[in-house]
Amino acid sequence: MKTRLFSGKKIKCRCGKAGICIFCRIKIIFHVPVLTNGQESVLYNVPLQESVQKQGMEGCAMKKQSISGDTSFDSILPEYGRKKLLMYADSFRDLANTFSDIQKEEETEPTGDRQEYIWKKRLVENRDLMADHLNEMAQIMTRVAEESYRFIHMSERKVKQLAHALKEEGVLLKEIFLMEKESGHKEINLIMRAGKGTSPAVDEVGNLLSVLLNLRMIPLKSSPVFVGKEWGNYQYMEEPKYHILTGVAKAVKETEHISGDNYSFLEAKEGILTAVLSDGMGSGEKACKDSAFVIDFIEKFLEAGFGKETAVQMINGALIAGGEPQNMSTLDLYQVDLYTGVCEFIKIGSAPSYIKRGNLVEQISARNLPLGVFYEMDMEMVRRRLVDGDYIVMLSDGILDALSQGIGEEMLPEMLGKIDLKNPAEIANHILNFCLHQSKGRIRDDMTVMVMGIWESL
């Protein structure tokens, strides 16, 4: 293990070894004092007064930039905070490398004791999983530290015009900032409150901004419904180019009272819509519990900022760590960028999905095993660009099983191409009823149909 340098001094662990062991690295991350050459010092620590002075200077520089109209992008964090976050990210990467190094040193060949070999193999897989978690945390910190905006200068005349127009609608404006992300999408931050005797809606303010700025703006999903009586910060984002309508149709296995299929639609990040469908092994409450576990964790990981590939890998590791071979579930994940129309599919043991464009239908499929079978998954990602009027159809295995009793699942693309319906809910019900007709009303497995239609915003 290499000796790391901090503040120009070599650091030894409390245990006396050169460098920093895994436990001391964890202490460094949380600012635990470390002994260096007989003296106690706190790593990554900066005097409070100096920190406040730096942040104040950087805050002034940022305000000056917004007035002068500088076209360069700047970090949303103060320089000191940004560097500190990057230091934390490096520490998490070092921890991940430590787990990987331990695994390489302890790799063993199969021995005569089968139980001992299985235990060691499970230990190696858990260390790999921990290393993946730490690396993903480091990536999240790095993305936050490197996130930047460009402040767009607004003339004093334009600001007064906005303030006057908002006042006529019962809204008092204190400050306004127009910013642009590196992706080119614009955001507006307003510090405002409602006037006496008024309760204007946040959406109405967005409509007014859209007219005055000639840029369609909508409030963030987390925004309140009405403008409050106290001064508050309200954020508006540029409306995406596309919007999506969804429809779902389900049928429960004839011998059960609860479906083993679970699904979810979520927008963990503004302008990014994710649809997830999971089919638990078997049917009934046990299958429902397994698939609900997958859906719940996917939602939490994506909302926490994890990438979809890492989230899938972490859920797979959690299912394997459960130690129950029946904890297997399929995963069908679809994610679309509403600004560009680019979508991505991740399929783990799931039924094919379909992209319908008029009478043309494309099948998206993958031949791999469900979650919870092997630690190393064969995960493939398929990327497509959608256009106005496209439909995405996601299915569970029960749909294909019903078709196999009639015309056969290979005829499904032809049937989808002949559908002239426009409403996604009607399309989903039409597909489900067609499959029930093919199986003569028999429901031998849980059946779920998810349909998403994409259109350009007016």
Side-chain angles (χ1 to χ4, degrees):
M1 187 181 298
K2 297 181 179 180
T3 301
R4 295 288 305 278
L5 289 176
F6 298 91
S7 301
K9 298 180 179 180
K10 290 186 178 181
I11 297 177
K12 292 185 179 180
C13 295
R14 295 178 183 270
C15 55
K17 295 181 180 180
I20 306 175
C21 67
I22 182 173
F23 301 104
C24 291
R25 292 187 184 187
I26 295 175
K27 293 173 184 176
I28 289 174
I29 292 174
F30 294 100
H31 287 192
V32 177
V34 179
L35 292 177
T36 60
N37 298 330
Q39 298 180 353
E40 189 178 42
S41 63
V42 180
L43 301 182
Y44 307 133
N45 195 13
V46 174
L48 179 60
Q49 183 178 2
E50 181 183 350
S51 174
V52 173
Q53 290 175 352
K54 286 185 177 180
Q55 292 184 12
M57 293 171 63
E58 288 156 1
C60 293
M62 187 173 294
K63 291 182 180 178
K64 184 178 180 181
Q65 178 192 20
S66 64
I67 295 173
S68 63
D70 188 1
T71 59
S72 62
F73 285 86
D74 198 4
S75 174
I76 61 174
L77 295 176
E79 185 63 18
Y80 167 69
R82 190 183 70 84
K83 289 183 177 180
K84 192 171 184 179
L85 199 57
L86 291 174
M87 284 184 179
Y88 287 161
D90 290 338
S91 297
F92 274 96
R93 289 191 185 93
D94 290 341
L95 286 173
N97 293 334
T98 299
F99 277 103
S100 300
D101 292 341
I102 293 175
Q103 173 197 338
K104 293 178 182 179
E105 293 174 0
E106 297 185 1
E107 283 183 351
T108 57
E109 296 295 331
T111 60
D113 191 342
R114 182 173 178 272
Q115 191 66 28
E116 180 181 358
Y117 171 71
I118 293 176
W119 180 83
K120 289 183 177 180
K121 189 174 184 296
R122 179 64 57 84
L123 182 61
V124 169
E125 291 175 350
N126 288 340
R127 284 173 177 166
D128 279 341
L129 189 61
M130 179 60 72
D132 292 340
H133 295 180
L134 293 169
N135 275 320
E136 186 64 21
M137 287 297 298
Q139 292 179 16
I140 293 174
M141 292 179 180
T142 302
R143 285 200 300 267
V144 172
E146 295 179 348
E147 186 176 2
S148 61
Y149 286 85
R150 180 174 68 88
F151 287 84
I152 300 176
H153 173 63
M154 296 181 64
S155 66
E156 185 177 353
R157 180 180 179 182
K158 175 63 72 174
V159 173
K160 288 182 177 180
Q161 182 184 7
L162 289 171
H164 179 72
L166 289 172
K167 189 175 182 179
E168 289 184 346
E169 299 296 328
V171 178
L172 302 180
L173 179 65
K174 187 176 183 180
E175 291 186 62
I176 181 171
F177 301 96
L178 178 59
M179 300 177 294
E180 180 183 357
K181 294 183 177 180
E182 288 186 318
S183 60
H185 307 146
K186 294 180 176 62
E187 288 187 2
I188 295 180
N189 285 267
L190 299 95
I191 299 178
M192 59 185 181
R193 69 175 178 86
K196 293 183 179 180
T198 62
S199 56
V202 173
D203 284 335
E204 293 177 358
V205 176
N207 294 333
L208 184 59
L209 292 173
S210 301
V211 174
L212 295 176
L213 297 177
N214 194 27
L215 183 67
R216 180 60 183 163
M217 305 300 295
I218 58 175
L220 299 186
K221 300 292 184 181
S222 57
S223 299
V225 179
F226 297 100
V227 179
K229 299 298 182 181
E230 302 295 333
W231 292 110
N233 184 34
Y234 297 83
Q235 291 180 285
Y236 292 83
M237 56 178 279
E238 185 178 350
E239 184 181 30
K241 180 180 178 181
Y242 299 98
H243 69 274
I244 280 184
L245 294 180
T246 63
V248 180
K250 299 186 66 175
V252 182
K253 185 178 179 180
E254 55 193 17
T255 58
E256 301 288 348
H257 66 279
I258 187 172
S259 174
D261 299 342
N262 275 287
Y263 68 92
S264 175
F265 298 99
L266 71 150
E267 193 171 349
K269 185 179 178 182
E270 299 292 344
I272 304 293
L273 178 72
T274 304
V276 190
L277 173 62
S278 179
D279 182 0
M281 181 178 180
S283 60
E285 293 185 5
K286 181 62 173 62
C288 179
K289 182 179 178 181
D290 291 341
S291 60
F293 172 87
V294 173
I295 297 296
D296 185 45
F297 271 76
I298 278 287
E299 290 178 340
K300 290 179 179 178
F301 282 131
L302 293 180
E303 290 172 354
F306 286 82
K308 51 186 176 297
E309 299 93 336
T310 303
V312 172
Q313 183 65 53
M314 292 170 72
I315 293 173
N316 182 65
L319 290 174
I320 293 176
E324 299 183 22
Q326 65 270 27
N327 283 348
M328 294 185 295
S329 300
T330 67
L331 175 64
D332 199 353
L333 187 149
Y334 157 79
Q335 191 173 82
V336 59
D337 187 334
L338 297 179
Y339 287 100
T340 63
V342 174
C343 67
E344 295 176 336
F345 295 86
I346 294 181
K347 309 184 73 63
I348 309 294
S350 59
S353 297
Y354 300 89
I355 300 177
K356 172 178 166 59
R357 181 173 298 171
N359 296 328
L360 303 178
V361 177
E362 179 185 3
Q363 178 175 301
I364 307 294
S365 59
R367 297 181 179 180
N368 48 23
L369 296 174
L371 296 169
V373 179
F374 296 113
Y375 177 77
E376 295 292 339
M377 292 189 307
D378 181 17
M379 181 166 53
E380 297 181 3
M381 182 185 298
V382 178
R383 179 175 296 181
R384 295 290 185 270
R385 182 179 293 274
L386 303 179
V387 298
D388 180 57
D390 283 355
Y391 292 89
I392 303 297
V393 180
M394 299 169 63
L395 313 166
S396 64
D397 293 336
I399 294 293
L400 302 183
D401 180 72
L403 287 174
S404 65
Q405 302 173 52
I407 62 174
E409 61 181 79
E410 63 276 0
M411 299 299 294
L412 181 58
E414 181 178 345
M415 186 273 288
L416 294 176
K418 294 180 180 179
I419 297 177
D420 292 329
L421 300 172
K422 300 298 182 182
N423 189 304
E426 294 179 357
I427 295 176
N429 285 317
H430 177 82
I431 296 172
L432 180 62
N433 292 331
F434 179 84
C435 295
L436 289 173
H437 178 74
Q438 294 298 313
S439 63
K440 297 178 175 58
R442 296 291 306 274
I443 307 176
R444 302 194 305 181
D445 194 6
D446 298 316
M447 305 167 68
T448 302
V449 184
M450 299 172 64
V451 179
M452 290 142 285
I454 184 170
W455 291 274
E456 289 188 13
S457 302
L458 299 178

